[in-house]
Amino acid sequence: MKRYKLFIAVTLITGLTSCQDWLSMDPYTSDDTETVFENESKAEIFVEGCYRGIVNKDFYYQMGMGDGVMHSCEDGSTNNSKYNICNYYYDSKTPNTLTGVYNEQYGAIEQANIAIKNLYKMPETAKRNQLLGEVLSIRAFSYLNLIRIYGDVPARWIPMNDIKDTNEALYPKRVSRDTIYDHIIADLQQAINYLPWYSASGYTTPERISKQAAYALLARTALYAGGYSLRWNLETNDESTMQVKRRDDTNRVKQLYEIADSACKKVIDKGENKLVQSQDGMSGYEYLWYNFCQRNFSATNSEMLWQLAQYGSETNSAFDVYAQPGSRGGAFGSRKAMQFMLPTYYLSFNKNDTRRDVNCTSYSIYFLNKGASNDTWVDVGTTYSCIMPGKFRLSWCVEPISADARNLDIPILRYSDVLLMYAEAENYLNNGPTSAGIAALKEVRSRAGIGDMEVPGTQSEFNDAIAQERKWEFANEFMLRTDLIRMGCLAKEINATKQAMKNLSDRKDAYAGISVYRLYKFHKDNQVYGDTFLALDYVDITDPQEISVLKSVPDKSTDYAAYQTKLAAILTAHGIRVESGDKWYPVDMFEAYTSSFNQKGRKAVGFTNGYNTLQIGNVIYTKPTGSQENGGSYPNWIQAADGSDGIYYGYKENHCELLPFADKSAGHPMVDNPNLTQLPGY
């Protein structure tokens, strides 16, 4: 999408500045719209502008966590909005809720309403219909985002300037989400009729909505509408009525799953889309995300049904500035990872699953000495407490136009999502998995290298398997948290993750035989954008005699060569070929990155400065994972000293599945609108 079109479109809409409260926007005038919609070319510019801002950074920086996959590690203390929201600890009077999402989505809805009204006035042509289909879909997407975060919200279907009742225009009440869902589902069904298939669209990228994107969005919306959500009596606003459940109309629920099932099947049967497969020595999943980061969309278009254009000085969002492996100086600048991957997620992958080392990196980029221009930068191995996001890593990207930009489009809908939604809908409608649903699941698994993994046979077990598959497939794509809610899996996931973290810390049950020690291969970072590097070579060491050797890190640099010879013998015994000049270093994966042993190991391969630092939020890398390594008690990020939860500490079932409206100051929904009711319990 050309950035100048986006800029022109936004300036044509009077007062629609993204940081403004939508209720305080200046109204557009009839002269404005007559100019903009006097022909299809100008109308198209307006429609392209409607895409801008529909995914703001709060989706992945605030709501992209709390899913058993990714967690916050913001600098400073744990008492900040990102950390608290990640852990389901909300407060309407402090920053522990969201306002940006509310304002941005209603701004997008107002733009879409203006476009819809005026496009209907234009003569019906294929082009007009296509534009209308796009803005109907954009409006539906914005309402879906609002509902999955806030539940019942105000509904607007016409421009504010057309609402005659000033009180109604400025101070709308919450509307039943079911009413909104039914409206936007009908809109999407209409949009599908207007939109061309991607192959007939003339688009070169899926940055605009095609027929298959609208079908996929329809399926997603229908599954949310028919799925679980936190509900309460909207009339009484009684806290005791809060419950995670489906809508009461079981016939409508079935219809919604049928709509999702049919929409997914339409895309599958069309045959235009497919999963990206292995190429150029990369697995299919790795090839997909490497090329996505490289903006080589011709390699990814078959799988990407819709991605949001983010490139250029006017459109580049902060997408994933925070979720990456971290870099200290050098070609990529100093970028801290403010999010990390839970070690239980990292360890949940089958050994053959090629997605683990794409979604997770057990390394960060740091200089070897003092960071001078002629220094050496290293992909330094980390511990279990600081595994970092890898899907959108800095080195895979194209060189940014400025230090705070990433030039990354935002993935919204992929073909693998269609396959898994289809499997989910089939499972619900048939009280268990069908052959078609199993085939869809296996298609996703086969691309990942685990096509032979056992498929559960019961409805509930298959639903759980789909939820787990979504975690492996869609890490860092900002929908997982609310997907788990709509699938009825969140409470189970939260409780399982909290217990799993304790079991890992104690090295018991599923983690009883896990390796404590790892040998990482010393690896210089190439310091170039487009580097294809994926993961550090490592060997887990469990043999007591070998552990004794690797723990004998010498104190004197003159003894390092002899130590490397001893490590080489261990590596050779594990079938690893050690070349001349190779160096390896030991890491205790359960200790903190900053532990004396781990510092000593890094010194043995040449670290002279920065060996005790990592480019990740400092609330995590100085902490161990193991209870034994923490003096016999759980580290406080796993469980607090008083026995309370250290992870997901704010979660209360039937209470925290939605966020409250902010009510601290002007610009917050509850302050600006006295007719809004607060989420019960806040």
Side-chain angles (χ1 to χ4, degrees):
M1 186 178 294
K2 296 179 181 177
R3 58 180 163 178
Y4 78 87
K5 287 189 176 182
L6 285 167
F7 177 75
I8 292 171
V10 171
T11 59
L12 284 170
I13 308 168
T14 305
L16 289 184
T17 309
S18 62
C19 61
Q20 276 188 298
D21 183 345
W22 74 287
L23 290 176
S24 66
M25 293 184 299
D26 295 331
Y28 68 94
T29 68
S30 60
D31 289 341
D32 294 329
T33 54
E34 285 176 8
T35 300
V36 173
F37 292 95
E38 65 184 7
N39 60 54
E40 290 177 349
S41 296
K42 289 184 178 179
E44 183 169 26
I45 295 174
F46 188 102
V47 170
E48 288 188 348
C50 290
Y51 284 88
R52 189 180 185 194
I54 57 176
V55 178
N56 69 328
K57 71 177 182 180
D58 281 342
F59 280 126
Y60 43 89
Y61 193 31
Q62 304 267 27
M63 293 296 294
M65 299 171 285
D67 52 12
V69 173
M70 193 163 69
H71 209 69
S72 176
C73 56
E74 182 83 3
D75 266 334
S77 73
T78 57
N79 186 27
N80 60 68
S81 64
K82 275 69 71 177
Y83 204 83
N84 284 327
I85 290 175
C86 171
N87 286 287
Y88 295 88
Y89 182 75
Y90 312 139
D91 186 334
S92 63
K93 298 186 182 301
T94 70
N96 296 343
T97 187
L98 302 180
T99 296
V101 169
Y102 186 88
N103 291 338
E104 292 280 357
Q105 295 309 299
Y106 277 113
I109 288 166
E110 177 69 5
Q111 292 182 65
N113 284 342
I114 294 168
I116 291 166
K117 171 191 172 182
N118 288 282
L119 285 167
Y120 271 124
K121 292 179 180 179
M122 296 177 69
E124 183 173 1
T125 65
K127 184 65 175 180
R128 188 224 65 162
N129 286 350
Q130 175 184 333
L131 297 175
L132 186 55
E134 288 181 81
V135 289
L136 285 168
S137 300
I138 288 170
R139 185 172 69 179
F141 179 70
S142 292
Y143 272 121
L144 173 60
N145 288 329
L146 287 166
I147 294 171
R148 69 188 182 92
I149 292 174
Y150 297 112
D152 306 307
V153 293
R156 283 284 174 266
W157 309 110
I158 61 176
M160 286 184 63
N161 200 48
D162 291 354
I163 301 173
K164 305 306 180 184
D165 186 331
T166 303
N167 188 68
E168 172 63 18
L170 295 178
Y171 309 121
K173 297 179 180 180
R174 287 186 189 255
V175 174
S176 166
R177 73 196 71 178
D178 296 332
T179 300
I180 301 174
Y181 272 138
D182 290 347
H183 191 126
I184 61 176
I185 285 170
D187 281 349
L188 287 167
Q189 290 171 324
Q190 182 181 9
I192 286 166
N193 294 327
Y194 289 154
L195 290 162
W197 290 102
Y198 180 77
S199 60
S201 67
Y203 303 154
T204 57
T205 72
E207 291 172 325
R208 290 175 65 175
I209 298 167
S210 62
K211 191 183 290 289
Q212 47 260 74
Y215 268 128
L217 182 57
L218 172 62
R220 176 181 285 178
T221 305
L223 289 177
Y224 270 87
Y228 292 89
S229 60
L230 179 62
R231 295 171 175 271
W232 67 94
N233 188 313
L234 198 56
E235 296 300 321
T236 65
N237 218 43
D238 183 352
E239 183 178 358
S240 68
T241 64
M242 296 172 73
Q243 184 181 357
V244 174
K245 63 176 185 177
R246 301 184 194 272
R247 63 166 73 185
D248 293 331
D249 187 345
T250 56
N251 289 331
R252 180 57 176 164
V253 170
K254 182 181 178 182
Q255 289 174 358
L256 290 165
Y257 275 84
E258 289 171 343
I259 289 169
D261 187 89
S262 175
C264 292
K265 195 169 189 307
K266 291 285 188 182
V267 178
I268 294 169
D269 289 348
K270 180 63 177 175
E272 280 191 14
N273 298 99
K274 60 183 180 180
L275 300 180
V276 172
Q277 300 298 325
S278 60
Q279 194 170 327
D280 296 343
M282 300 180 186
S283 70
Y285 196 73
E286 178 187 356
Y287 190 75
L288 167 69
W289 291 112
Y290 175 80
N291 281 282
F292 186 82
C293 292
Q294 276 286 291
R295 303 187 63 82
N296 181 19
F297 298 145
S298 62
T300 63
N301 285 352
S302 66
E303 181 163 344
M304 292 290 175
L305 303 185
W306 182 21
Q307 61 198 50
L308 192 62
Q310 296 291 307
Y311 186 85
S313 59
E314 299 298 332
T315 62
N316 211 311
S317 78
F319 175 59
D320 231 41
V321 168
Y322 310 99
Q324 34 82 17
S327 174
R328 181 70 168 90
F332 312 121
S334 290
R335 286 283 184 214
K336 279 197 173 182
M338 295 302 183
Q339 295 160 327
F340 74 104
M341 311 303 282
L342 290 175
T344 47
Y345 174 70
Y346 175 77
L347 294 166
S348 72
F349 287 87
N350 180 283
K351 65 179 181 179
N352 297 319
D353 198 323
T354 58
R355 294 172 293 193
R356 188 198 70 172
D357 288 341
V358 176
N359 292 343
C360 310
T361 66
S362 56
Y363 72 87
S364 186
I365 304 169
Y366 215 93
F367 51 74
L368 193 62
N369 297 307
K370 296 184 179 181
S373 59
N374 62 347
D375 206 341
T376 297
W377 269 261
V378 178
D379 297 312
V380 58
T382 66
T383 60
Y384 281 139
S385 63
C386 44
I387 305 292
M388 285 171 266
K391 188 175 283 183
F392 308 107
R393 62 194 72 189
L394 295 162
S395 57
W396 279 4
C397 295
V398 296
E399 188 165 359
I401 57 174
S402 62
D404 60 350
R406 290 295 300 280
N407 299 336
L408 274 170
D409 275 15
I410 299 174
I412 297 178
L413 290 161
R414 293 199 281 125
Y415 185 60
S416 56
D417 201 353
V418 170
L419 292 169
L420 293 181
M421 288 192 294
Y422 181 60
E424 180 185 344
E426 284 282 294
N427 183 55
Y428 177 85
L429 291 170
N430 296 279
N431 299 312
T434 63
S435 58
I438 292 170
L441 170 60
K442 284 192 170 184
E443 188 171 345
V444 175
R445 285 183 171 179
S446 294
R447 194 263 295 272
I450 55 169
D452 59 351
M453 182 180 286
E454 183 180 357
V455 177
T458 69
Q459 185 179 28
S460 62
E461 289 174 339
F462 191 79
N463 190 68
D464 288 346
I466 293 293
Q468 179 61 58
E469 199 68 34
R470 295 188 71 84
K471 288 171 57 182
W472 289 330
E473 182 73 15
F474 299 116
N476 312 147
E477 292 181 61
F478 78 82
M479 292 295 294
L480 274 176
R481 177 172 173 149
T482 53
D483 279 345
L484 291 170
I485 295 171
R486 70 160 177 80
M487 296 181 76
C489 298
L490 183 66
K492 183 189 299 185
E493 179 66 33
I494 292 292
N495 292 329
T497 300
K498 289 192 291 188
Q499 186 59 53
M501 284 301 308
K502 292 176 184 177
N503 291 346
L504 174 62
S505 187
D506 289 334
R507 299 199 280 281
K508 71 177 187 180
D509 295 345
Y511 307 101
I514 192 170
S515 171
V516 175
Y517 294 97
R518 178 177 286 189
L519 278 174
Y520 278 118
K521 186 177 182 180
F522 179 80
H523 183 268
K524 295 179 181 179
D525 188 89
N526 289 327
Q527 288 289 284
V528 293
Y529 284 98
D531 185 4
T532 58
F533 177 69
L534 175 65
L536 287 172
D537 292 334
Y538 70 86
V539 177
D540 285 327
I541 304 298
T542 56
D543 180 85
Q545 289 185 330
E546 293 178 341
I547 290 173
S548 178
V549 172
L550 67 84
K551 288 178 68 175
S552 63
V553 185
D555 294 314
K556 298 179 181 178
S557 60
T558 53
D559 295 330
Y560 288 163
Y563 179 64
Q564 286 296 325
T565 299
K566 294 178 183 178
L567 295 183
I570 294 175
L571 293 161
T572 300
H574 282 265
I576 305 297
R577 182 175 179 176
V578 181
E579 304 285 354
S580 177
D582 285 354
K583 292 188 289 186
W584 295 70
Y585 54 101
V587 171
D588 184 322
M589 298 297 288
F590 282 85
E591 287 185 355
Y593 179 87
T594 55
S595 74
S596 58
F597 173 77
N598 287 335
Q599 291 180 49
K600 199 172 182 180
R602 289 190 292 275
K603 287 182 181 179
V605 292
F607 276 90
T608 61
N609 190 33
Y611 55 79
N612 199 30
T613 310
L614 198 64
Q615 276 299 86
I616 188 172
N618 59 23
V619 300
I620 189 66
Y621 79 86
T622 59
K623 305 296 192 299
T625 298
S627 56
Q628 177 180 318
E629 290 76 7
N630 197 53
S633 61
Y634 294 119
N636 61 7
W637 66 279
I638 297 175
Q639 179 175 286
D642 63 2
S644 60
D645 291 329
I647 185 172
Y648 305 141
Y649 49 78
Y651 182 71
K652 293 186 289 184
E653 190 174 2
N654 298 317
H655 189 268
C656 296
E657 290 80 6
L658 293 171
L659 271 69
F661 290 139
D663 62 0
K664 182 180 180 182
S665 60
H668 288 183
M670 290 291 291
V671 174
D672 292 348
N673 183 357
N675 283 339
L676 274 183
T677 56
Q678 185 57 279
L679 180 68
Y682 292 93

